Amino acid sequence: MRLTVFGPTASGKSTLINALLNVYALPSGGSFTTARICVFRHATQDAARVSLCRIGDTGLEEIRELLSLADQQEPHDLGSLLEEFLDRSRAPPAGQVFDDWVKEVVVVHYPLALLAGGVELCDVPGVSASDPHDDVLKAHRANFLRIYR
């Protein structure tokens, strides 16, 4: 089962996922915080990792592994590790580099209890007419939601 959390900017999407996972995993704030789509999947501890993917014709295609989490026994540090890959303040400046950066999907493979039964959680950057990047994000969200059902 896939659960995708989608809605307005600063409406608590990342906070909801953190609560469901029972761990601080996603950066959250009162403004434009999440810059990339993030998918949480179950993995055994020895296979725990963060990978970067692109949206292909039939689903997510892994580009590369960003970080091994195999030695990360306690999930309480997950949020600080993921901020580098998800937080809008860490994104490159506006322009083509930013556009390409936000189109990459971060996938977290980790042994969290909620995910053990095959549940996948997806956090999608918020929607806001006042976001200067909303056109790029809107097209990317639509593509993700079309492919990743």
Side-chain angles (χ1 to χ4, degrees):
M1 176 172 76
R2 293 180 176 145
L3 174 63
T4 301
V5 182
F6 177 83
T9 297
S11 61
K13 297 175 299 299
S14 298
T15 302
L16 173 63
I17 290 178
N18 286 340
L20 290 171
L21 294 174
N22 197 31
V23 64
Y24 171 72
L26 293 166
S28 60
S31 186
F32 307 117
T33 306
T34 305
R36 285 176 160 159
I37 294 171
C38 184
V39 177
F40 287 88
R41 294 178 173 165
H42 188 266
T44 59
Q45 185 64 50
D46 62 323
R49 70 188 188 286
V50 179
S51 57
L52 198 59
C53 298
R54 75 175 124 251
I55 300 171
D57 292 334
T58 59
L60 297 179
E61 301 168 353
E62 189 166 325
I63 300 169
R64 69 181 182 279
E65 183 175 304
L66 295 173
L67 180 67
S68 172
L69 299 173
D71 296 330
Q72 185 74 28
Q73 299 294 326
E74 295 296 322
H76 64 271
D77 289 336
L78 242 129
S80 58
L81 295 171
L82 294 177
E83 280 182 11
E84 175 182 350
F85 310 116
L86 297 171
D87 198 300
R88 175 82 68 103
S89 67
R90 308 281 182 106
Q96 189 60 45
V97 175
F98 176 85
D99 295 359
D100 292 341
W101 191 83
V102 297
K103 289 178 184 174
E104 297 167 332
V105 177
V106 175
V107 180
V108 180
H109 309 263
Y110 201 74
L112 293 165
L114 177 67
L115 308 176
V119 173
E120 291 185 5
L121 292 177
C122 307
D123 187 32
V124 177
V127 178
S128 174
S130 65
D131 184 349
H133 304 292
D134 198 53
D135 287 344
V136 172
L137 292 170
K138 181 178 181 179
H140 182 52
R141 284 188 299 260
N143 190 35
F144 176 78
L145 295 171
R146 181 179 55 84
I147 295 296
Y148 199 75
R149 302 178 201 206

